[in-house]
Amino acid sequence: MTSPLQQKIKITGPSVVTANRTFDGVVIYRTADRGWSTELANAAIVREAEPARALLAASVADDVGAVGAYIAPVKIDDTGAVVPGNLREQIRRSGVTIALPAHA
């Protein structure tokens, strides 16, 4: 398996670093102050490969708080809000797309 830091990073627009919180699996986003937030609006936005690589490297080093960090595309909507940039990220943020069976 290739480390995310060894992969070519291609940035085609605004992007963030996302991962899952280690202790409960919740989707989290890397913030500019090197923390993590569950809110996409708090994520550090990168637009070029080198800052993205640096943010990802810092995120991967934080293996206590997060797992599986990678760069994900985002969009800035007409109101200035940050929204997921593709379907995968929309699903990760919003949850499952089907009704789950009720617990017995």
Side-chain angles (χ1 to χ4, degrees), residues 2-100:
T2 303
S3 163
L5 297 176
Q6 295 173 332
Q7 298 174 3
K8 280 189 167 183
I9 295 177
K10 183 177 179 182
I11 303 292
T12 58
S15 301
V16 299
V17 170
T18 184
N20 291 87
R21 195 164 48 199
T22 304
F23 69 90
D24 61 5
V26 168
V27 175
I28 53 176
Y29 303 96
R30 190 71 172 184
T31 62
D33 64 357
R34 297 184 172 251
W36 292 99
S37 174
T38 57
E39 299 298 323
L40 180 56
N42 296 334
I45 306 292
V46 291
R47 298 176 188 275
E48 297 175 2
E50 195 51 42
R53 187 182 317 277
L55 190 62
L56 181 60
S59 302
V60 170
D62 184 14
D63 60 354
V64 174
V67 63
Y70 65 94
I71 296 169
V74 292
K75 295 178 183 172
I76 312 296
D77 72 12
D78 294 339
T79 66
V82 181
V83 296
N86 60 29
L87 180 59
R88 178 176 193 254
E89 295 308 316
Q90 289 174 2
I91 292 170
R92 285 186 72 236
R93 184 174 183 218
S94 302
V96 297
T97 58
I98 60 171
L100 297 175

